[in-house]
Each structure stands twice: as C-alpha cells, then as structure tokens.
Amino acid sequence: MTGNSNITSGTDWRRIAVDLLLFGGLAYLSYCFLHRVLVYPSAWLPTGYAIGLLLTHGTRRLGTILSGILLASLIPAVLDEREWSGAAQSVASASAYTLATSFITWWAYRKLLPTQLPLDRYTSFLWFLGALTLASFAATLPMLTQLPQVDAALKVMPLHPWFASVLGTVIVAPVMMSNRWGSLYLCLRKQPWEALAWTLTLGFVLLVVWHDPLQNLYLMFLLTIWAGTRFPLPAAMASIALCGAGALSAIFLSMPSPVTPSQLLVMEALLALMVTVSCYVRILLNDRERIEIDLEDMVRQRTNELQIANAELKDEIFVRQQAEKSYRRSSRHFRALFETASTPIVVVDEKINIRQWNSASESLFGYSRDEAIGRSFSTAFIPSEQRDELSWKILKLFKSGLPQETLETEIQGFNGSQHFILWNLSRLNEDDDPGQRRLILIGQDITEIRNSQNQLHYLAHYDVLTNTANRRLFEDRCGQAISSALRHGHSSALICLDVDHFKRINDTLGHDAGDQLLKELAQRLRNCVRKEDTIARLGGDEFAVLLSQVKGAEGCEKVARYILDTLIQPIKVSGGELVITSSIGITLAPEDGSSYEQLLKNADMAMYRAKNAGRNNIQFFSKDMNDEMQRQLTLEQELRDGIRNGQLDLHYQPVLNAKTGAIDGLEALLRWHHPSKGTLTPAEFLDIAEQTGQLQPLAEWICLNACLQARAIQAMSKNPVCIRVNLSSRQYNHPKLADQLGRIIRETRLDPSLLLIEIDERILSERHAESVLVLDNLKRLGVGLVLDHYGSGLSSLKLLRDLPFDQVKIDQQLLHLAPKDDSSRAIVHTLINLARQLSLTVAASGVETEDQETFLRSTGCHLLQGHRFCRPVPSNKLAELFARVKKEGSLLTDTRANLPLTGIFPINKE
C-alpha cells in the first residue's frame, strides 16, 4: 500500500511539474507576441491551457491551475524589467484576467452541458465559443480602465484583450481537449506523405506571411482547412494550433515593418476566425463520421433484427403448420371424445336450440341426433321450474363474459328413471365467425351422490325408526320458534312425553314389538298436531313436540289432552294388543325460558313430575320444579363430598328374640351426617344416589363396612349376632352381585352365616324366574336370606315355596293396621302361621306400641324390632349397647323404654 501511494504521489508531482512548465512556456510564447505599443499580448495562451484543464479535469486540478496562472502572470512582468510596484500590478491584472476568463467560461459551459466536451458535438463547440466570448468580454471590461494615457489612436483599441483571450483559447484549448497523442502518431503512420506535404506547405506559407502579413495571412486558412478536412481530430487540432501559433510568430517577426495596432487587431481577428472555423469544420466532419458510423451500426443492427425476424417468421410458419396439424388431430380426437363420452354433451346457441348432440345424450334422453338438433333444449328436456334459471345463466354467460357456470337439474330418462344432472356451462369462442356464439353443456350424472347426500342429510336430521326429527333438527326448529315468539310476541310450547313402563314391554314382548309401538306412537303424534309443528324422538321412548304458535297454556293443554287420549287407544303389535299410557310435561316460551336447553330441561322436569304424580297425566312446568331440581343437584354434589369426606356412617337397630329379649341380630341402617342439615336417613338421599349412579358404590361401601364391623360386634357379644343388610332393586339386579358379596366376605374374613341379606318381596315378584338363580348363587355363599315386606305382594305363597329364604319380615303397613283392623289381623296371623308351617323364622320390624307387641307375641312371631325396644345406634355406641344389655339382661324389661342409651340417638325413620 505504501509503495502504491509513493508511485501515485510521484506521478502527481511529475504531472504538476509538466503543467507548470507548460504554463510558463505558453506565457513566454505569449510574451513574444507583445506589440511594442500595446500593453497586452496578441494571444494570451495560458488562458486556453487553463480552460482546457478545467474542462477535462474539473476542479481536481484547481491547485495546479491557480499556480500555473500565477506563474504565467509573473513571466511577462519579469521580462519587462519593470519596477516592483508596476510588476505587482501587472501580475495581479494578468492573473485576475486569466482566472476570470477561465472560470467563467468553464462555469457557463458546464451549466449548459454538464457532461459533454466542446469537441464532442458541433453544438457543444458553438456553446463553448459563446461562453468563451462572453467570459472574455466580461473579463476585459475591468481592464479597460487601466489602459495607459497614450495618443488617441490607441483609445479605439479596447477589444484587443478580448481577442487576445479568444485567440489564445481557440489555439490551445482544442489541443488540450483532444489530447490523444496515439491518434497523432497513427495519422503520421497512415498519411506520412500528406503530412510531409502539409508541413512543407506550412513553411512556405509562413515565409509568405512573414514577408507581408496583411496581404498573405489569408493563405493560412487554406492550411487550416486542409488539416481540418484531411487529418483525424487530434492531428487536425494540433495542426490548426500550429498554424495559428506559426502565423502569430510570422506576424511579429515582421514587426519592423510599420503595423499599426488596428491592423494587428484585424490580423488577430482574422487569425481567430480561421482557427475557429477550421476547428468547427473538423468537429462537423467528426460528427458526420460519427453519424455515419452510427448509421452503419443502425443499418447493421436493423439487418440483424430483420434476419432474426425472418428466422422467427420461418419458425412461426413452422409452428403454425405444426399447430394446424395438431388442430386437425385434436379435432379428430375431440370428435371421438365427444361421441364416445359417457356423459351427455350438448352444444346450444343463443336461443338455447340444440346444435350438437352426442351418443350419451341419445341414450339418456332417447332422441337421436337428427331428432334433437334444432329443438329447444330447455323446453324439451329441462323441468319447467328450472327453465328460467337455465335461461338466466346462459344469458349471463353471453352478456357478462364469464367463462363458465353450473346448473343442477332433475330430469327423467328415456326409461322413466329420475336422474340428477350437474351441467357445466362453458362459452365457446368462435374466432372465425364472432356472430355465431355457442355454449357447451357437459352433464355429470350425480344421482348416486345426490341420493347419498339426501340420505346423509336424513340420517343427520331425522330418526330412522320413527321418521321424526332427531335432537339436532329439533334444536334448530326450537331456536327458530323461540326467535319468532320473541319477535312477534306469541307463545310457543315444548312438550316432552314418554311411554310408561316401556322397558317392561321390551322385556316381555321383545324389541321388535317395542319398535312397532314407537312407530305407531310417532304416527299418532303426527295425527294430533299441525304440519308446521315438529315431532322429535329424543331417545328410547322419549318424544318431544314443538308447537310453534299456541294460545297460551289453554291451547297447550288442549293439544296435550288430545295426545293423551289418542295414545291410550289400543295398539296392535306382533305379540298382541297393548294399551299404553304416557306422562306429559309442558313448558312455554318465552314465559318459561328463551333457550332450547332451558326449555328442554323445564319440559323434562315437568314430565318427571307427571310420572311421580301417578303417570298418565299432564304437568306444566312451574318455578318450584326448578327449585326442586336445584335442591337435588346441590344434594347430589353434597353427597359426593360426603362420601369422599367420610360423612357416612352405619347405625344398627337390634332385632330381639321375642321370648328371651336377647339380641339376635342387628340391622345395618345407613346415615349421613350432613354438616348443615344434621343426620339424614336414606329416604332423603337414596333417590339422588340412584339417579346419579352413586347407588352401587354406596351399596358396596355399606356391605364392606357392615362385614368389617360384624367381626367387632361378635367380640362385644357373648352370643353370635347376625348382621342384616338391605339390598336395593338396582343392587339386586346387578349381574355381579354374588361375586361382589363373596369378595367382601373373603376380604373381611367374616363367617357368612352371620350375614343376612334382606330382599324386598316387590323386587322378586317382577322377575321370578331370574330370582331363583340369583338367590341360589347367594345361598351358595353361606349367607342367610330374608324376605322383606312379607305380605305386601300377591305372590307370597309362590315365593315361599320356590325360593330358598331363611326368614320372613312382616310388612309394616299390615302390622300397623292389625291391632285395629280385623281383616289385617287375620292376614298377618295367616302369614305368620304359613311361615311357621314352612319352618321359616318370622320377624317383625317397626314395632312402636304395646298393642303391636302384644299382638305379635300372640301370633307366635319369633323376632321383634322397632323403636319400642331400641332406636338405631351409631356404630361407635355399640359397645355401650352390649354393655347395658349384659348389665340389664334384656331390652324387653319394663324399663326398656327409659334406657339412658336410647335417649342419645335421634328418632329417624329408617
């Protein structure tokens, strides 16, 4: 990097030295052209060199230019040997003059032509001459005031400095701007003899001019024109400058002859004109040469373009030929495709008249090509309700410029079958005949797709069995009805109903009969409501009816009553004839709610209220139903928390031997220690547990804890004490009952004979055949079986005969009536005698009065249980119970009702 910098620095100094040497040489030469009378030289050559440097290098050589001008101004002052003050004034004047002329010329020219040199175009040279002339004149004006006071003849020469600046510039500046010495050397090599002839002629003309400048100066014009027209631009500019400098030298060498300042000014002007015109001619010729070259290049380029275009034309002709072949081939393929296509293809005109008709169209519609062409496609083959749509779409394609459209139509085939056809309508552009506009219709048989879509839509919105709406469609219809009711101020109703004891029908007559019943039920519902109403099957045997517009509760009740009366009519099924009842719940919108979910919940609550009210009746939704539902939901969550937090406990009520008063057994009774409501009996929460699926885990918990506590009870009592556990209907019907009970007995290691299972007689009467198998499985475990609520059913005798029970427990309702009612007394007496005859132990629960106890003793009842003897005892108080029994000996003493033990337990129903 340092070496390159040194090389660059050395080159710059050499260039500066050369420039300063040239400035000094030109200034000395200009001093030689000084008239003895005039103050200024006839040609001030440093101005031309300064302008040349500015135009070629700009301000990058500003320091060299300023130094050169100063040097050039010093030389004449030194050569004149003037005094110091006069020399300084001369240097300042010459420097200011040169600087002003140079920089004004450069600035004015660059303002007009920022990028071109004066020699590039003849117009540029003319602008350069104009800028030079104005700049010289502007620089000359301040100098006119400094002219010395000589004779009057010199006062007429104020333009001498102007011509001196112009002449010096046109001699030197063109040479500077065409500084291509290689071209000069090439000219000498190519035209040596002509250059020699010109040089000799120059010498001769200079001698002639030296002899008589005024008469022979014009001969120099011939040489400048010769050089301008024959030599290249750099050689011509150098030759013209040489002629100008030589002519000035010849003029001043002849100065001893009398030449006045006026004559000298004329010769300067003539010489400046000859140099300028010769340069202008050379530039014109150079422009012409350039134009000729550009024209030749343009012609050459155009020729190449024409050749390329000709080749492209040949290629295009070839491509067109190939395209025509391809078009003919494609046309054949299109005709073959058109004729052999399996889809109908029809071409129609603006009037929808058929113009082309393929074989698939013949097969579909039954018309040959000759019969179809000319017919109106819409009138002959499109259904009347879709003709306007077809006409509108065809008109839209022709008028709007759309490329294609689609239309789906349903048509009847030649064989009478119905088809769904999806037509793709596309406009055919007839380039050869724009007046003949055509439209092609390509049909696609989507019959199977449409049927599948219709089937999917049906399956998504309708119940397949009953052909009624499903939940999804019903929800949508309800939403529309609610919006309409809110907007127009009328009422809508939602009715929920189901078949009472439908499960029993399925179990006894089979599912086919159940399906037949549901179909008939849906048809009867359709006959009871209007067409604008909606019937839906929500699931199983549950139906819902939407009455879109009704006249309040009276209108709803009228429709519901009609439905209830219609459904109760006998229905014939495969297994016989049925008479069914239903429970109906009704809610109104927007009075009871403004959303589908809310209305459905309300109607469902009203329907279950109808079931609880005895079935086969109508219930309207009311606010208390919602409150009850909220209470049940709260109780459900509290029950879950209670099971999780250990709030459940088992209470035990003693079962006493009627003769000895000893504790024969303990019945396990579930209690819930509610944190805010106190101790709750199963009657208050078992229904909630059953509805929410918590009953089965709860029953397992009871059995497990009862068996665990049974082992502890045996340790408390000196005699074996049986633990009695009640089975609910859901637990009894569980298929894994015996397995679960056996697992609990094994886990707790309890003697199974100490466990008695109490089963409600009403459960057994519904499923007698299965009960035999279930009870046999339980009996194999070794547990005892107790028939609870003995006497409440109608099949007691059959149950006692066929089922393996060990004990029976008299129904409490019969027991409470027996002391006062003779019939009830006779029934209870008979039931006890029957059980005793079958060697069954008889127990009675719910003994509360002395009369009941006396009656039971008189009938021979073996075991007694009730509040008369002892209320249910918490599990943590059993030890105290057995301790008191051990101390008192029996709970049948006269003081049994005043035992301190019983007073600590609340009186609750079982």
Side-chain angles (χ1 to χ4, degrees), residues 696-705 707-708 711 731 734 736-752 755 777-778 780-783:
Q696 186 62 29
L698 196 60
E700 288 190 35
W701 182 89
I702 294 172
C703 291
L704 178 61
N705 282 271
C707 291
L708 287 173
R711 296 191 62 186
Q731 188 177 11
H734 196 282
K736 299 292 184 180
L737 172 62
D739 296 338
Q740 292 176 354
L741 194 58
R743 175 178 55 79
I744 292 174
I745 292 174
R746 288 191 301 271
E747 290 177 355
T748 58
R749 299 180 182 181
L750 178 69
D751 183 359
L755 181 63
N777 291 334
L778 293 177
R780 291 192 190 99
L781 297 176
V783 301

Side-chain angles (χ1 to χ4, degrees), residues 695-857:
L695 183 60
Q696 186 62 29
L698 196 60
E700 288 190 35
W701 182 89
I702 294 172
C703 291
L704 178 61
N705 282 271
C707 291
L708 287 173
Q709 294 173 4
R711 296 191 62 186
I713 291 172
Q714 306 309 315
M716 299 177 192
S717 175
K718 60 182 181 179
N719 299 319
V721 177
C722 296
I723 301 300
R724 297 169 178 260
V725 177
N726 290 281
L727 289 185
S728 65
S729 173
R730 185 178 296 273
Q731 188 177 11
Y732 174 79
N733 293 321
H734 196 282
K736 299 292 184 180
L737 172 62
D739 296 338
Q740 292 176 354
L741 194 58
R743 175 178 55 79
I744 292 174
I745 292 174
R746 288 191 301 271
E747 290 177 355
T748 58
R749 299 180 182 181
L750 178 69
D751 183 359
S753 62
L754 297 177
L755 181 63
L756 295 180
I757 304 300
E758 295 189 359
I759 303 171
D760 196 331
E761 178 185 342
R762 289 167 293 190
I763 300 174
L764 302 175
S765 62
E766 296 177 358
R767 304 174 62 180
H768 179 75
E770 296 180 6
S771 296
V772 176
L773 180 60
V774 173
L775 294 179
D776 285 342
N777 291 334
L778 293 177
K779 196 65 179 175
R780 291 192 190 99
L781 297 176
V783 301
L785 300 179
V786 179
L787 180 64
D788 197 8
H789 293 94
Y790 176 54
S792 61
L794 301 177
S795 55
S796 298
L797 296 178
K798 188 175 182 180
L799 293 176
L800 294 176
R801 184 193 66 186
D802 297 338
L803 302 180
F805 283 104
D806 300 299
Q807 297 183 15
V808 296
K809 182 182 285 189
I810 303 299
D811 184 57
Q812 292 188 23
Q813 292 183 355
L814 288 175
L815 177 60
H816 293 166
L817 294 175
K820 301 177 182 179
D821 182 66
D822 294 339
S823 299
S824 299
R825 184 183 303 109
I827 292 174
V828 172
H829 197 279
T830 302
L831 291 174
I832 293 176
N833 287 334
L834 179 62
R836 291 174 64 88
Q837 291 295 325
L838 294 175
S839 302
L840 298 176
T841 301
V842 180
S845 64
V847 180
E848 298 178 356
T849 64
E850 183 179 356
D851 293 340
Q852 294 173 357
E853 179 184 358
T854 303
F855 170 74
L856 290 172
R857 289 178 179 277

Side-chain angles (χ1 to χ4, degrees), residues 275-511:
V275 172
T276 302
V277 170
S278 299
C279 291
Y280 180 71
V281 169
R282 176 63 260 181
I283 294 172
L284 281 175
L285 292 176
N286 197 51
D287 279 354
R288 188 185 70 177
E289 292 171 1
R290 187 183 298 108
I291 291 172
E292 290 175 354
I293 293 172
D294 292 342
L295 287 175
E296 290 177 359
D297 292 340
M298 188 181 300
V299 170
R300 190 180 303 106
Q301 181 180 359
R302 186 58 180 165
T303 302
N304 292 334
E305 291 177 355
L306 290 175
Q307 290 175 351
I308 294 172
N310 189 27
E312 292 177 351
L313 181 60
K314 291 180 180 179
D315 293 340
E316 185 177 355
I317 293 173
F318 176 76
V319 171
R320 282 182 174 271
Q321 291 173 350
Q322 296 299 319
E324 289 178 0
K325 292 179 182 179
S326 177
Y327 173 76
R328 289 192 293 269
R329 183 168 58 253
S330 299
S331 180
R332 292 193 300 270
H333 293 171
F334 170 75
R335 289 185 177 279
L337 178 64
F338 183 83
E339 294 299 331
T340 59
S342 60
T343 58
I345 302 176
V346 183
V347 178
V348 299
D349 57 15
E350 293 181 345
K351 297 181 180 180
I352 321 181
N353 293 327
I354 300 173
R355 295 304 176 189
Q356 292 189 39
W357 184 266
N358 71 341
S359 302
S361 301
E362 294 181 0
S363 302
L364 179 64
F365 295 103
Y367 285 84
S368 65
R369 181 180 290 100
D370 296 336
E371 293 173 340
I373 291 178
R375 285 177 174 266
S376 173
F377 179 71
S378 61
T379 304
F381 305 107
I382 302 299
S384 57
E385 61 272 11
Q386 293 179 323
R387 291 173 187 170
D388 292 339
E389 183 181 2
L390 175 64
S391 302
W392 177 76
K393 290 194 173 184
I394 291 177
L395 180 64
K396 183 171 71 170
L397 283 176
F398 281 133
K399 298 297 184 183
S400 66
L402 291 175
Q404 60 183 10
E405 264 287 358
T406 58
L407 174 67
E408 182 180 339
T409 62
E410 182 180 2
I411 64 172
Q412 185 173 1
F414 178 68
N415 56 358
S417 60
Q418 295 293 325
H419 296 270
F420 290 95
I421 305 295
L422 178 63
W423 297 99
N424 293 306
L425 289 69
S426 301
R427 189 177 66 254
L428 296 177
N429 296 321
E430 300 290 344
D431 297 333
D432 54 347
D433 189 3
Q436 297 292 330
R437 296 192 294 181
R438 297 287 187 266
L439 200 71
I440 184 169
L441 289 81
I442 301 177
Q444 180 182 0
D445 193 346
I446 58 170
T447 304
E448 295 184 2
I449 298 176
R450 184 59 64 210
N451 290 337
S452 299
Q453 290 178 346
N454 293 338
Q455 182 67 19
L456 291 174
H457 182 272
Y458 177 82
L459 294 175
H461 296 87
Y462 290 89
D463 178 63
V464 179
L465 178 63
T466 60
N467 197 27
T468 58
N470 62 7
R471 281 182 176 273
R472 181 179 179 183
L473 179 59
F474 189 69
E475 180 178 357
D476 181 69
R477 297 281 178 85
C478 286
Q480 297 179 16
I482 293 171
S483 299
S484 177
L486 292 172
R487 185 181 305 112
H488 299 100
H490 58 72
S491 296
S492 298
L494 194 153
I495 301 175
C496 277
L497 61 95
D498 67 356
V499 179
D500 296 334
H501 305 296
F502 180 74
K503 186 176 182 301
R504 186 181 301 173
I505 297 173
N506 270 340
D507 293 341
T508 55
L509 299 180
H511 290 281

